């Protein structure tokens, strides 16, 4: 975790930059550093942080701390953290109805991977996906990585409006659209869960969590849809201790 | 309940404050006032906390009816003929208003975003630590939307501070012909020398694609780096170069992360000048070092603090003339930095 440098993004923000690659271990470190800095009392003047895939943007108050002092103190924090990073993982189960009415690209992605639709669903649900960061839309999680066999590139022309809850693939990434949005992802299905609620805007998952999709039928979709909107659906969250791989 | 009623909402009026920077980690846009300097000046004229919520308007400003007494100030974009009970009023000046008073702000004639600040700030509920409206997330302000006729805005009861009335700040921004100053962005060195030179030497036009998320500029397209960049955190004023070679400047409601290369970032000291540009305006840039930009920003902030302190010191002094003279002296300090 020593291969990094700092870049001054603006007068009052500093960017910690790791090599431009998708790496769960490195991103986990970035997430934990972000959480530490967001709540630290050790360093005065940090106003907010934004983790990226391989970067951490640190905004600070110039009237409280200067860039050089901040950089020295950050380096100290990073060295401390490297020895204390723990590997408890949170896995959140997300139900998905892989029905062609919800997943108009099921056949295209199955063809891309030389698979049947049933095999495609099996492949998409058999592993967990790491949330590298939240951004783009309220509650939008950047997750990866799907097997190469089904890592189909985005549509050449994005669709104008994808329904909230749409689940899809864009290259090695997979994810869901929390609100109605234009989008070019290859859609495989839809989750009945309410992924974003302006009345209760905090996301139900965070960067650093893992998502596990499981397949449900149309009947379950309708039931969970109703239950979740009546606050009667309990999201299944598991803990596991393990190495990030 | 002390309220202000919206009679006519104008074209696009929202409640804004300093935004919710700490929730960018959860993917929420920072939001807040587009022109933080004009917004801050409005608040400090009224002795408000620096995060007191104000109305931000663009295009056509709103008309309002006061159901209570308070103090107000208007700052930012220039209005054609703002009036209080049909009497013309000035910008950057504090007015006392009373129950039944009507404020007509009318169309903007120069600049882009204006602010109506109110003593104590608008008291709509905070969402994720801020009252700022973010339309995309439908949060903040009133139900996360632009204001409509008949909306009632809750405000605080105020004590009569006669020393506030007619407090005035003679403040002017640099002429628009001056370049917008920049810092090199994190991907600056990934652009070719030719692209860098072209970017700094050409005149850009602001397109009609401008909103609180960002302004799209157009010019002669520049060559973009071929490396595939992973999404990274954004900052106010980041200038991304999109695939077609044109710049997009990221502003208050920007996405928290972005994947286009960032060639430069608008110097904090010039943010307010940049956002006040309307579509079709011509822009050219000038590159500063981080040290130069930091010094300019520090001076501007220190002058604002000095102004705030001097206003607070004058809070309980007899009204009008002495403090107006003092305020004008301090004003010159802000202009120096600009």
């Amino acid at each position: 975790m020593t291969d990094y440098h700092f870049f001054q993004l603006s007068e009052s923000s500093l960017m910690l930059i790791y090599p431009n690659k998708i790496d769960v271990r490195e991103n986990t470190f970035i997430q934990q550093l972000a959480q530490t800095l967001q709540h630290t009392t050790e360093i005065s003047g940090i106003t907010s942080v934004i983790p990226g895939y391989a970067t951490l943007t640190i905004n600070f108050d110039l009237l409280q701390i200067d860039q050089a002092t901040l950089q020295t103190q950050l380096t100290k924090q990073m060295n401390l953290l490297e020895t204390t990073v723990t590997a408890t993982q949170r896995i959140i189960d997300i139900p998905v109805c892989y029905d062609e009415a919800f997943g108009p690209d099921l056949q295209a992605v199955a063809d891309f991977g030389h698979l049947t639709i049933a095999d495609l669903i099996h492949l998409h649900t058999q592993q967990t996906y790491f949330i590298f960061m939240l951004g783009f839309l309220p509650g939008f999680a950047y997750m990866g990585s799907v097997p190469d066999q089904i890592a189909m590139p985005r549509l050449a022309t994005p669709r104008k409006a994808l329904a909230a809850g749409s689940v899809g693939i864009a290259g090695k990434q997979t994810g869901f659209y929390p609100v109605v949005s234009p989008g070019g992802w290859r859609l495989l299905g839809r989750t009945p869960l309410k992924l974003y609620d302006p009345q209760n805007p905090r996301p139900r998952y965070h960067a650093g969590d893992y998502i596990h999709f499981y397949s449900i039928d149309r009947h379950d979709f309708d039931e969970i849809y109703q239950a979740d909107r009546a606050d009667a659906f309990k999201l299944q969250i598991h803990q596991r201790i393990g190495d990030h791989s | 309940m002390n309220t202000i009623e919206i009679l006519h909402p104008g074209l696009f009026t929202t409640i804004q404050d300093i935004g919710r920077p700490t929730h960018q980690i959860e993917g929420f846009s920072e939001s807040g006032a587009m022109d933080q300097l004009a917004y801050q000046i409005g608040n400090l004229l009224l002795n408000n906390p620096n995060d007191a919520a104000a109305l931000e308007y663009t295009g056509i400003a709103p008309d309002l009816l006061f159901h209570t007494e308070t103090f107000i100030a208007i700052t930012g974009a220039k209005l054609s003929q703002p009036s209080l009970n049909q009497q013309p009023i000035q910008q950057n000046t504090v007015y006392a208003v009373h129950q039944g008073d009507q404020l007509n702000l009318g169309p903007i004639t120069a600049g882009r975003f204006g602010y109506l600040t109110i003593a104590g700030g608008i008291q709509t509920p905070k969402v994720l630590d801020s009252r700022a409206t973010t339309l995309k997330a439908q949060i903040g302000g009133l139900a996360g939307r632009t204001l409509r006729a008949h909306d009632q805005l809750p405000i605080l009861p105020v004590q009569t501070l006669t020393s506030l009335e007619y407090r005035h700040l003679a403040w002017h921004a640099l002429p628009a012909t001056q370049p917008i100053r920049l810092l090199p962005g994190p991907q600056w060195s990934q652009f070719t020398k030719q692209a860098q030179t072209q970017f700094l030497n050409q005149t850009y036009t602001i397109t009609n694609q401008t909103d609180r998320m960002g302004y799209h500029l157009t010019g002669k397209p520049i060559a973009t780096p071929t490396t595939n960049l992973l999404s990274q955190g954004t900052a106010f004023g980041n200038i991304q170069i999109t695939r077609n070679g044109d710049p997009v400047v990221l502003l208050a409601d920007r996405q928290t992360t972005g994947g286009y290369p960032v060639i430069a970032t608008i110097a904090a000291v010039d943010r307010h000048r940049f956002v006040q540009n309307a579509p079709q305006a011509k822009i050219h840039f000038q590159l500063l070092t981080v040290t130069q930009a930091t010094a300019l920003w520090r001076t501007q902030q220190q002058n604002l603090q000095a102004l705030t302190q001097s206003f607070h010191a004058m809070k309980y002094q007899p009204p009008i003339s002495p403090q107006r003279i003092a305020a004008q002296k301090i004003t010159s300090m802000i202009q120096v930095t600009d």
Side-chain angles (χ1 to χ4, degrees), chain A residues 199-217:
Chain A
Q199 302 308 317
N200 185 15
R202 277 218 159 80
R204 296 161 99 167
Y205 38 82
H206 300 282
D209 289 341
Y210 284 81
I211 296 290
H212 172 246
F213 295 115
Y214 65 98
S215 180
I216 56 167
D217 61 21

Side-chain angles (χ1 to χ4, degrees), chain A residues 58-109:
Chain A
I58 302 140
N59 300 312
F60 59 96
D61 180 356
L62 253 181
L63 303 177
Q64 285 187 57
I65 193 166
D66 64 54
Q67 179 265 340
T69 314
L70 177 63
Q71 202 166 310
T72 311
Q73 297 194 2
L74 279 174
T75 311
K76 213 180 287 174
Q77 279 284 329
M78 288 165 66
N79 292 335
L80 275 178
L81 192 65
E82 266 188 65
T83 56
T84 60
V85 164
T86 53
T88 307
Q89 304 167 357
R90 231 164 66 108
I91 303 161
I92 299 162
D93 288 338
I94 302 281
V96 179
C97 179
Y98 295 89
D99 185 299
E100 281 183 278
F102 294 150
D105 300 316
L106 272 172
Q107 191 62 55
V109 179

Side-chain angles (χ1 to χ4, degrees), chain A residues 7-13 15 17 19-22 31 34-35 38 47-55 57 59 62-63 65-67 133-139 142 179 196-199 201-203 206-207, chain B residues 21-28 127-129 136-139 183-188 227-236 238 254-257 262 265-269 271 290 293-294 297-298 301-302 305:
Chain A
F7 182 86
Q8 198 164 351
L9 184 63
S10 79
E11 295 84 342
S12 57
S13 59
M15 198 184 251
I17 303 176
N20 189 47
K21 63 176 182 351
I22 298 182
Q31 299 300 342
Q35 289 299 336
Q38 182 104 326
T47 52
S48 61
V49 293
I50 315 174
Y53 271 106
T55 57
T57 303
N59 300 312
L62 253 181
L63 303 177
I65 193 166
D66 64 54
Q67 179 265 340
M133 57 185 193
L134 300 181
F136 173 49
L137 293 170
Y142 289 83
V179 293
Y196 179 71
D197 177 5
Q199 302 308 317
R202 277 218 159 80
H206 300 282
Chain B
T22 58
H23 293 279
Q24 293 178 100
I25 193 171
E26 295 163 312
F28 292 95
V127 179
L128 303 176
D129 304 316
K136 201 170 65 173
Q138 301 167 52
I139 54 171
L183 297 176
Q187 281 75 46
W188 168 260
T227 48
N228 190 12
L229 183 71
L230 296 173
S231 291
Q232 58 188 12
T234 61
F236 194 108
N238 274 172
R254 67 192 178 279
Q255 295 175 197
T256 53
T257 58
V262 174
T265 301
I266 293 179
V269 73
R271 282 176 193 161
V290 173
T294 303
W297 173 241
R298 218 181 260 284
Q301 290 304 300
Q302 283 164 353
Q305 281 196 338

Side-chain angles (χ1 to χ4, degrees), chain B residues 9 12-17 32-40 42 53-62 64 73-80 82 91-92 105-117 122 147 171 212 215 272 275-277:
Chain B
F12 189 98
T13 304
T14 56
I15 294 169
Q16 295 297 340
D17 60 14
M34 285 282 275
D35 182 343
Q36 283 287 333
L37 186 61
Y39 158 78
Q40 275 187 63
L55 287 190
E56 178 183 276
Y57 42 80
T58 185
I60 300 166
L64 306 104
I74 50 179
T75 62
K78 195 174 172 344
L79 298 169
S80 64
Q91 308 211 187
N92 303 321
L105 296 178
I108 287 174
T109 52
R112 198 72 202 288
F113 290 95
Y115 298 88
L116 171 70
T117 44
I122 298 165
L147 297 181
W171 179 78
R212 285 182 39 87
Y215 290 2
H272 68 284
V275 298
Q276 291 295 358
N277 281 293

